[in-house]
Amino acid sequence: MDLKVVLITGCSSGIGLSLAVHLASDPSKTYKVYASMRNMDKKQRLLECVSGHHKDTLVILQMDVTDQQSIHRAKDSITEGRVDILVCNAGIGLMGPLEAQSEDVMRGILEVNLLGTIRTIQTFLPDMKRRKSGRLLVTGSMGGLHGLPFNELYCASKFAVEGVCESLAILLHLFSGPSSVSLIECGPVNTDFLVNLQRVEPRDSSLVEVDDHTLHLYEMYLQHCSSVFQNAAQDTEDIVQVYLEAIQSPRPFLRYYTNHGLLPISTPDGSQYITAMSKIIFSSTTGGLCRFVCIFWSWCAVLRVGSSGAGLNRGAAEADDVYFLICQLCMAFGVTNQKINGMFTV
């Protein structure tokens, strides 16, 4: 039986590294993994994880998703002449006030996160279509589902990837055979992401023209991010299990969520999300967040008690929607279930 050929981008650390090691270490030897990375100087960490025991199931390739020739060289290095499972995982983060970002920095994040993903898909998709077989998996992000302050360009790149994959999924649905595309939607993960992301530091010269209020909010946001990654980040092995679910499913979904606290939050005009996020991120104390949640909860109670007849069902449904929205946001941004329950008993 032929091994399933897997190509993974961004394997020098984090999710890509963990997924490559897991698949290459599969006891049944189902997979032949080509783990790619831009900088081969960083391959030692991956080699240490496999300890030389998987020479027949793991190959490390140099591949830069911003360079089309590099992608083609990696393709030519795959001895089987095909890729059964393509995992587009390479990506970078960018954080800071929008007005402080240079043209080069803006182009750089789009080159990796958006165009790099598209280039990789363009290179391997035609053969999958021809064979009417293949799986395409893309590492998504909460930042591709919801806006996040001081992440405007990162979110723009990830929102665009969502559009590419959803559009492509419609097309692949019309091909016979198990061709498919799936997004693995991640929240905070215990990786080197925060270390590696491009971040404007509070004293950076690019912030000279940024107003004081924005700078104050940015410093608050940096503290918030540190807290979230400390209290709410998932381990890479949790993410790998979701990847495996998508890989092994006979009829994979378009989207898989690694954290159900990050399920899409939809309100007709978006105002509730904006209000909730601003309070959760920029409340100076937990007490401020508690007061905000209690106000919302009181409003839910008014909907329930003050409605009658058909309006009761509608009001109760609206109350449930808002309660669910608040709980999702709290869990996604580092507020534990215990704290949430405490908020509603204050």
Side-chain angles (χ1 to χ4, degrees):
M1 178 179 172
D2 291 338
L3 300 182
K4 292 183 179 180
V5 180
V6 185
L7 173 62
I8 308 172
T9 67
C11 290
S12 62
S13 64
I15 296 170
L17 184 149
S18 294
L19 182 61
V21 171
H22 189 99
L23 294 178
S25 305
D26 182 64
S28 64
K29 292 192 175 182
T30 301
Y31 307 100
K32 171 72 171 292
V33 179
Y34 288 87
S36 72
M37 60 189 69
R38 181 183 62 84
N39 185 356
M40 289 292 278
D41 292 339
K42 297 183 178 181
K43 69 179 180 180
Q44 190 59 36
R45 188 171 172 183
L46 178 55
L47 291 172
E48 290 173 357
C49 288
V50 297
S51 303
H53 298 312
H54 309 291
K55 294 180 180 179
D56 54 342
T57 57
L58 178 68
V59 176
I60 302 176
L61 297 178
Q62 192 281 330
M63 177 170 152
D64 181 355
V65 298
T66 68
D67 182 347
Q68 189 67 64
Q69 291 186 343
S70 174
I71 298 173
H72 281 296
R73 285 195 297 270
K75 180 183 179 183
D76 293 341
S77 300
I78 298 173
T79 57
E80 292 80 2
R82 72 179 195 280
V83 169
D84 300 308
I85 302 168
L86 174 62
V87 180
C88 294
N89 171 71
I92 56 175
L94 176 64
M95 186 185 298
L98 180 63
E99 56 268 46
Q101 307 297 350
S102 69
E103 181 90 6
D104 288 343
V105 167
M106 291 190 289
R107 290 184 182 278
I109 192 168
L110 294 175
E111 275 289 333
V112 177
N113 292 0
L114 175 59
L115 298 179
T117 298
I118 292 174
R119 289 188 194 96
T120 306
I121 294 172
Q122 284 179 320
T123 301
F124 295 95
L125 182 63
D127 182 64
M128 289 184 176
K129 285 182 175 179
R130 181 183 59 79
R131 293 186 293 112
K132 296 182 178 179
S133 177
R135 294 286 176 91
L136 169 61
L137 292 92
V138 178
T139 301
S141 168
M142 181 185 178
L145 303 172
H146 304 300
L148 298 170
F150 301 111
N151 283 265
E152 293 84 1
L153 291 165
Y154 173 75
C155 288
S157 70
K158 287 298 189 178
F159 265 78
V161 168
E162 295 281 328
V164 170
C165 292
E166 188 166 298
S167 301
L168 188 58
I170 298 170
L171 178 65
L172 292 181
H173 183 71
L174 301 176
F175 277 73
S176 59
S179 299
S180 67
V181 55
S182 295
L183 286 149
I184 312 301
E185 311 288 12
C186 304
V189 184
N190 284 318
T191 66
D192 294 335
F193 184 80
L194 270 186
V195 176
N196 294 332
L197 68 75
Q198 300 177 49
R199 182 173 76 181
V200 179
E201 298 299 336
R203 301 292 178 264
D204 194 280
S205 59
S206 65
L207 297 177
V208 171
E209 301 298 326
V210 178
D211 64 274
D212 290 341
H213 186 50
T214 298
L215 291 176
H216 173 65
L217 293 173
Y218 182 47
E219 290 182 354
M220 291 182 67
Y221 183 73
L222 292 177
Q223 294 173 6
H224 167 78
C225 284
S226 177
S227 175
V228 167
F229 273 84
Q230 181 178 348
N231 298 318
Q234 293 179 281
D235 291 330
T236 54
E237 282 304 312
D238 297 330
I239 312 303
V240 166
Q241 292 306 312
V242 180
Y243 264 101
L244 292 176
E245 181 183 353
I247 289 172
Q248 296 168 358
S249 172
R251 297 180 63 86
F253 300 128
L254 171 61
R255 290 184 175 89
Y256 290 82
Y257 301 94
T258 67
N259 182 339
H260 289 287
L262 301 178
L263 290 173
I265 298 167
S266 177
T267 54
D269 62 5
S271 60
Q272 290 177 352
Y273 172 74
I274 293 171
T275 301
M277 284 292 287
S278 64
K279 293 292 184 181
I280 288 172
I281 294 175
F282 298 112
S283 290
S284 59
T285 65
T286 303
L289 178 56
C290 288
R291 286 193 297 274
F292 157 70
V293 174
C294 287
I295 290 170
F296 253 130
W297 184 245
S298 298
W299 178 72
C300 294
V302 169
L303 279 177
R304 288 181 175 277
V305 175
S307 302
S308 61
L312 176 63
N313 293 329
R314 180 176 58 81
E318 290 176 357
D320 288 339
D321 286 345
V322 175
Y323 171 74
F324 184 56
L325 178 149
I326 294 168
C327 289
Q328 284 182 304
L329 289 172
C330 288
M331 289 187 290
F333 286 90
V335 182
T336 63
N337 284 327
Q338 184 178 5
K339 287 183 179 179
I340 295 171
N341 292 332
M343 292 174 190
F344 296 119
T345 57
V346 173

